[in-house]
Amino acid sequence: MLGLITNVDLRSHENNLAHRTREIDRERLIVRRGQPFSITLQCSDSLPSEHHLELVLHLGKKDEVVIKVQKESEAGEKWWFNQQGAQDEILLTLHSPADAIIGQYRLAALIVSPDGHILEETDKIGFHLLFNPWCKDDDVYLPDESLLQEYIMNEDGVIYMGAENNIKSIPWNYGQFEDYVMDICFEVLDNSKDALRNSQMDIEKRSDPIYVGRTITAMVNANGDRGVLAGRWSEPYSDGVAPYRWTGSVPILQQWSKTGVRAVKYGQCWVFAGVACTVLRCLGIPTRLITNFASAHDVDGNLSVDFLLNEKLESIGGRDSSWNFHCWVESWMTRDDLPKGNDGWQVLDPTPQELSDGEFCCGPCPVTAIKEGNLRVKYDAPFVFAEVNADIVYWMVKPDGQRQKIKVNESGVGMNISTKSVYGNRREDVTLQYKYPEGSKKEREVFEKAGRRVSDDSTEPAKLQLSIKHAKPVFGTDFDVIVEVKNEGSEDANAELTILAIAVTYNSLNRGECQRQTTSVTVPANQTHKEVMRLHYNDYVKCVSEHNLIRVKAFLEAPGESEPIMTMANITMSKPSLFVEVPGKAVVSEQVTAHIFFTNPLPFPLKGGVFTVEGAGLLSASEIRVDGDISPGQKVSVKLSFKPMRAGVRKLLVDFDSDRLKDVKGVTTVVVRKRFMFSGF
């Protein structure tokens, strides 16, 4: 053996800076495809002129894929390299194609004699290759730097929830550049059904963001595979973590990996979407989290969501549902597998709802196809179209089984579709990217194209109109709901009015009746009658879910009116505030102290209080338990010291939970400065 190559320098600092991966790691080499990078071979002597250098790449645990790196002249669309020799160093510049496989590569450098004998071979050198949205030939290319800063580089998110008329937000720590998150993202891919079934085929397909995106939506939920999160939509959560307690993706991914890829308990839609956003951003696919308010779940594909009620207005049977809100992600990519016009944002939904090609995954489905009603494109376009466009039909089921249609709502689905703005923590409304304005001619054309009936509005409006009004109540207080009955007829009207308040989860699971009242009302011609229902904390606290959501139904039956009249309102009670501050200057690796303040707003003591704190680049998720009960009106303050790990503008996220009050969130911004080393003169 010649012993010519004595050392290999991967030049990680320079390469990672140029490839925008320095936040992931400064020591390991992490590069993006379609963009050259350089490594240096140190030699004991200069390479004899008759010998030449060859480079070979290996992928997969068993070297399932082996790629010979071409010399520059014969490159084409393949991996190629060029070399420059100087004294005892050889500078190698490697060029990956823009459609290279993403993954962990192992590179071997070989010295080969003129007759093809391998005289020397280096140990395999590991590096990671990611998608490259900065490269114009990559399928995930996004030509706007401000969008890339948000949809690839930003580790701090905002998730919208609540109801369409009362939109709330929570902070979310994506943490895609935290230590070893990238390794876990590749572990997610390695544990997919396709990877376990045929590793070589799976690795070869990892050049395609469509395939990778679809794999991730299947793997973020644990239904039917070794996925990351188990879903649960009602208590108890005692054998895991309640979905509302998570404040970021990193502890979830870490727990899944550490426990031998066992599903983490528990997630709901925003948790699934948050984790998917972390994985996709980390791998280099521009991704944003979307919230659709009044989101339909159409099981039978008829583009209408049917609700069956008995004569007591209680929901009975039926698998269709309408969720107060539902979260998914959109990823940016070209769709060479589809006709022109389908590039750009694609819906990917990791929440397990319906099977798609036998797996619990959804997408990628082009947002433009949803807007235009092109439901034949893959993947899962009819399901996504229904989520933002279905009709909601309410049926009264009589004791003899006869059904009476009591209400059709053609514009109550797919409202205020929201994402975090690129310009700070503001809400951006993207509804018009999913559909044409409600009631417009174009909207009707799309419905007909999608195979949905378009009703004619020739029926004359009912003389009696119902509406529900309410303030924005705070959880823990008593509040009023006002039902108005308006008589637009020329004669007085007598009717029976039923008002029903039930507790529901955000995805419409009934948690029990809070209050009901039935009264006979007389409404003079051209006047309005108001009926008030007072909701007491003591009544609703017994059944309200962790989403603090009350659904009020008002139902009016009047002799002479052909059909009963019904209306509904979802009331989200707001949570109290939690304050976080980090006084003084924050410097990398120097201790700072966070102060957290919380006051119990309820007329009852809170037991089992716990604060969870986390923040990308600041600290790993930590818990602080409160000693003893927190009395009504009592103010609690806790301190937490930590040493920031990375410079930059960071977010510190806090969640508070107790027996009676859950999911109280707080956030503060921390500007972390670099540490300056001063040397003596």
Side-chain angles (χ1 to χ4, degrees), residues 260-289:
V261 305
R262 289 207 2 240
V264 177
K265 298 172 177 176
Y266 286 103
Q268 288 175 8
C269 71
W270 69 93
V271 188
F272 289 114
V275 172
C277 190
T278 296
V279 176
L280 290 157
R281 281 187 187 180
C282 184
L283 296 176
I285 301 176
T287 302
R288 61 188 188 181
L289 197 145

Side-chain angles (χ1 to χ4, degrees), residues 327-579:
C327 299
W328 56 71
V329 296
E330 288 175 0
S331 288
W332 181 272
M333 62 187 78
T334 56
R335 290 299 299 268
D336 296 334
D337 59 328
L338 296 178
K340 265 197 167 27
N342 287 298
D343 296 343
W345 290 115
Q346 312 287 322
V347 171
L348 287 162
D349 189 348
T351 298
Q353 297 182 90
E354 299 296 318
L355 288 169
S356 169
D357 293 343
E359 301 297 329
F360 277 103
C361 64
C362 178
C365 172
V367 174
T368 53
I370 299 307
K371 182 167 183 171
E372 299 300 335
N374 296 328
L375 303 195
R376 289 199 175 87
V377 307
K378 53 189 181 186
Y379 293 88
D380 311 302
F383 183 76
V384 180
F385 184 86
E387 286 182 304
V388 298
N389 280 314
D391 284 347
I392 296 187
V393 185
Y394 293 92
W395 302 85
M396 174 77 76
V397 182
K398 305 282 185 188
D400 62 2
Q402 288 280 314
R403 289 185 185 190
Q404 181 185 17
K405 191 185 286 187
I406 53 172
K407 185 178 175 65
V408 178
N409 187 346
E410 293 181 347
S411 58
V413 159
M415 323 251 289
N416 297 339
I417 304 174
S418 303
T419 191
K420 176 190 174 301
S421 167
V422 172
Y423 309 106
N425 292 340
R426 298 205 305 271
R427 186 179 74 86
E428 182 185 340
D429 194 300
V430 294
T431 310
L432 293 178
Q433 294 183 24
Y434 279 84
K435 51 196 201 176
Y436 288 96
E438 290 286 355
S440 66
K441 182 166 171 271
K442 194 75 181 140
E443 184 207 31
R444 292 184 159 243
E445 286 170 17
V446 167
F447 285 170
E448 286 180 340
K449 186 175 178 183
R452 172 174 150 180
R453 71 192 180 288
V454 176
S455 65
D456 57 342
D457 291 323
S458 55
T459 53
E460 65 178 78
K463 294 186 181 69
L464 294 175
Q465 306 287 330
L466 259 185
S467 60
I468 298 172
K469 296 194 165 63
H470 59 89
K472 290 187 175 173
V474 176
F475 181 76
T477 59
D478 301 344
F479 63 95
D480 289 338
V481 174
I482 300 161
V483 176
E484 293 189 352
V485 186
K486 189 176 182 185
N487 181 2
E488 294 184 337
S490 54
E491 295 174 9
D492 294 1
N494 296 308
E496 190 168 82
L497 174 66
T498 300
I499 309 171
L500 173 64
I502 52 174
V504 290
T505 62
Y506 82 100
N507 59 329
S508 289
L509 295 176
N510 187 334
R511 295 294 300 271
E513 192 173 299
C514 305
Q515 216 161 315
R516 170 193 292 266
Q517 65 188 48
T518 301
T519 41
S520 296
V521 296
T522 300
V523 191
N526 298 309
Q527 288 193 31
T528 299
H529 172 85
K530 292 183 181 177
E531 198 69 38
V532 178
M533 174 190 266
R534 183 121 181 123
L535 279 164
H536 297 278
Y537 171 74
N538 284 348
D539 292 326
Y540 67 70
V541 73
K542 293 173 191 146
C543 53
V544 76
S545 76
E546 65 265 27
H547 305 111
N548 291 353
L549 186 61
I550 304 283
R551 180 168 289 167
V552 177
K553 294 178 186 172
F555 186 76
L556 193 71
E557 285 188 287
E561 291 284 340
S562 58
E563 291 180 349
I565 305 161
M566 188 178 96
T567 193
M568 229 170 64
N570 290 315
I571 303 173
T572 309
M573 293 176 281
S574 59
K575 309 258 172 56
S577 300
L578 185 158
F579 298 99

